[in-house]
Amino acid sequence: MADSLDSLDNRSADRRLQVETHGLDVIGDAERKGTPRTLFWPWFGANVSILGLSYGAFALGFGISFWQALAAGVIGIVFSFLLCGFIAVAGKRGSAPTMVLSRAAYGVRGNRLPSVISWVLTVGWETVLTALATMATATVFGRLGWGGGTETKVVALIVVGALIVVGGVMGFDLIMRLQTVITVVTAVLTVVYIALVADHIHWHTVSAVPAGSAQEFIGALVFMMTGFGLGWVNAAADYSRYLPRASSSRGVIGWTTFGASVAPLLLLVFGLLLAGSSGDLSKAIAVDPVGALTTILPTWFLVPFAVVAVLGLVGGAVLDIYSSGLALLSAGLRVPRYLAALVDGVLMIAGSVYIVFFTDNFLGQFIGFLTTLGVPVAAWCGIMLADLALRRRDYDEGDLFRPHGRYGDVPLRPLLLTLVATVLGWGLVTNSAASWLDWQGYLLDPFGLGGKTGAWAYANLGVLVALALGFLGTLALDRGRVRVQERQDTSPTASEEVVSA
């Protein structure tokens, strides 16, 4: 924490808190500060949400035992955040946001396709987190007898939405300061919550939960991957781009992975114990994932719980709205970064209104959202990781903004690879709880996997297939292209203005 606070103090000495003016442009060496250890705080703060407890119920919902769910969670969380750590290395090697660095693989304007996908994913996540914070606040107020109805939800939505939008609009400096505060407060109150409800754990009940099949285990594993690290890979370099170029790559990978994983792992274990001890609690979590956790709390801790719930969810949503604004700019919108964040904030509020006031099947829609977007994001992640692994030199920052530079304009190979991986992936996933996605799973029967009602129907293999196909396809097909690019001389530094509309 000392490193983080020192870094914040140094920035404070350099300038007062103000709206960040950086958009897609390259961060100059004079503004690159800190050490890899400072990455711990934004990643920990974004993932220390009390929502992590609810993932215990989500995992057991796949029909598996405590030990199977624990293994699926540990593997899924650590592996998916390790992917974030690898992509974060691109930030310090290229000084630009994640979806600008992606242009090296997809071309300057060809990259608009994954940028749009990234934008939808991050807007979706910030919407979900805002809605959960709103519902949790209303649940707490209802238990206290202070309301909890429509009026409470409206006020809570306005307050939570304002906090998130302000953080996203102000940008990097405020986010880093905010995340440090959120980390400390949320961590302390979460520990208190765990101590207060520990007596609701009944190991004999948890250990009696029957084991599930290998297919159900894989389904839980994939869900954990999409619910954690694969939901962040498209933003992984947005914060490491502020580190000095000489920063340790191993440090960037390690601190990103550790900071993002440690809280979800601890919360998952306790969430599994709670959900496995009570079927009623597990069912309630499916309807109101955060608010349901108040039902086992003493009344005097409800207000502190509301604070920990809201702050934890806001911490994640602030990072999402910041990165979604950058993704929107990378997709081609020609406005300042803070206006892009404001646009996303408006969409976030609208989506939250729908979730809070009009839908009654949160978990089904949530899993459908994660799995459906998880397929193309996994394909992009595989391509991005392979492209990064093939490069021996840092990115040419000028050509990241030139359609006629070394990275090209609209290269067909990565776009076709993404399309093929997505089509195959969607054919191998199902989402029966979300009726608007019942067209998926069209390859389960032709591939001999039992169709949409067979044993493999909910394993969601499509996410893993898309990730592997993107990675292996790029390694096999793009080695020569990368070598040609890296033999060219370094070009003059450019800005985002070079890209034509």
Side-chain angles (χ1 to χ4, degrees):
M1 181 174 179
D3 286 345
S4 179
L5 295 178
D6 288 345
S7 177
L8 296 177
D9 289 342
N10 289 337
R11 281 198 297 272
S12 298
D14 291 339
R15 61 183 184 274
R16 294 179 180 178
L17 188 64
Q18 57 187 327
V19 175
E20 181 186 358
T21 57
H22 287 299
L24 302 185
D25 51 312
V26 171
I27 304 301
D29 288 340
E31 296 183 76
R32 296 167 69 101
K33 301 176 181 179
T35 65
R37 187 176 298 180
T38 61
L39 292 174
F40 173 87
W41 299 102
W43 285 109
F44 185 90
N47 291 283
V48 72
S49 167
I50 204 79
L51 178 62
L53 292 171
S54 299
Y55 273 84
F58 298 161
L60 292 175
F62 281 85
I64 56 180
S65 68
F66 168 83
W67 293 111
Q68 287 178 310
L70 180 61
V74 171
I75 297 171
I77 290 170
V78 174
F79 176 71
S80 62
F81 279 125
L82 185 61
L83 301 181
C84 291
F86 285 126
I87 290 179
V89 172
K92 69 104 176 179
R93 290 179 61 180
S95 318
T98 313
M99 297 315 297
V100 170
L101 299 170
S102 177
R103 292 173 178 174
Y106 281 88
V108 175
R109 284 187 287 199
N111 189 62
R112 288 179 178 176
L113 172 62
S115 293
V116 169
I117 296 171
S118 172
W119 174 69
V120 173
L121 177 65
T122 46
V123 169
W125 262 113
E126 68 203 42
T127 300
V128 166
L129 296 176
T130 302
L132 289 176
T134 301
M135 291 189 292
T137 302
T139 300
V140 169
F141 274 55
R143 281 204 61 197
L144 290 170
W146 298 349
T150 300
E151 295 82 1
T152 301
K153 292 178 181 177
V154 169
V155 173
L157 181 57
I158 292 173
V159 173
V160 171
L163 287 172
I164 296 168
V165 171
V166 169
V169 169
M170 291 296 292
F172 181 81
D173 277 353
L174 178 59
I175 288 173
M176 293 298 285
R177 301 182 193 195
L178 182 64
Q179 293 297 74
T180 303
V181 174
I182 287 176
T183 295
V184 175
V185 174
T186 305
V188 171
L189 292 179
T190 299
V191 170
V192 176
Y193 174 88
I194 290 174
L196 288 174
V197 301
D199 60 344
H200 288 269
I201 294 174
H202 308 291
W203 175 247
H204 63 281
T205 304
V206 176
S207 60
V209 176
S213 65
Q215 294 91 334
E216 291 167 331
F217 171 80
I218 294 173
L221 171 64
V222 172
F223 176 73
M224 288 295 173
M225 289 176 59
T226 56
F228 288 98
L230 279 181
W232 287 108
V233 288
N234 55 317
D238 293 353
Y239 307 94
S240 56
R241 65 181 174 138
Y242 281 89
L243 292 176
R245 299 177 193 277
S247 299
S248 165
S249 294
R250 290 185 179 181
V252 170
I253 295 169
W255 284 108
T256 298
T257 306
F258 177 65
S261 298
V262 62
L265 287 173
L266 295 174
L267 291 169
L268 173 68
V269 172
F270 199 75
L272 286 170
L273 293 171
L274 283 176
S277 300
S278 171
D280 291 338
L281 177 62
S282 189
K283 292 176 183 178
I285 287 173
V287 178
D288 185 359
V290 177
L293 298 171
T294 67
T295 59
I296 54 177
L297 275 176
T299 303
W300 66 266
F301 193 71
L302 288 176
V303 172
F305 175 85
V307 172
V308 68
V310 170
L311 283 181
L313 295 168
V314 166
V318 166
L319 262 66
D320 276 320
I321 195 171
Y322 178 76
S323 293
S324 69
L326 294 174
L328 188 57
L329 296 180
S330 185
L333 185 66
R334 310 289 294 176
V335 299
R337 182 206 59 80
Y338 58 87
L339 285 182
L342 189 59
V343 169
D344 288 348
V346 173
L347 294 175
M348 174 191 76
I349 297 297
S352 299
V353 168
Y354 171 75
I355 293 175
V356 172
F357 297 103
F358 298 102
T359 185
D360 57 358
N361 180 21
F362 171 82
L363 183 56
Q365 307 299 328
F366 181 51
I367 293 176
F369 162 75
L370 288 182
T371 305
T372 300
L373 286 183
V375 170
V377 168
W380 169 87
C381 180
I383 291 172
M384 180 72 177
L385 286 170
D387 182 81
L388 179 63
L390 289 172
R391 297 187 183 279
R392 299 294 177 264
R393 299 172 58 185
D394 288 348
Y395 295 95
D396 185 299
E397 296 165 352
D399 278 352
L400 287 171
F401 299 91
R402 295 189 181 93
H404 301 294
R406 73 188 66 204
Y407 301 123
D409 190 10
V410 188
L412 292 180
R413 193 152 51 204
L415 294 171
L416 290 175
L417 184 57
T418 302
L419 179 62
V420 170
T422 300
V423 170
L424 287 174
W426 280 341
L428 296 172
V429 300
T430 58
N431 292 285
S432 60
S435 59
W436 54 285
L437 297 173
D438 58 9
W439 53 271
Q440 295 176 346
Y442 44 81
L443 294 178
L444 289 169
D445 191 43
F447 284 9
L449 297 174
K452 296 183 181 181
T453 58
W456 289 98
Y458 301 105
N460 290 327
L461 292 175
V463 175
L464 300 177
V465 168
L467 178 64
L469 186 58
F471 184 77
L472 297 176
T474 301
L475 284 183
L477 300 174
D478 280 3
R479 189 177 303 274
R481 179 181 67 89
V482 172
R483 293 293 171 263
V484 170
Q485 292 174 356
E486 295 197 327
R487 282 197 294 266
Q488 299 180 38
D489 294 333
T490 302
S491 65
T493 301
S495 72
E496 60 191 283
E497 304 302 325
V498 176
V499 182
S500 57

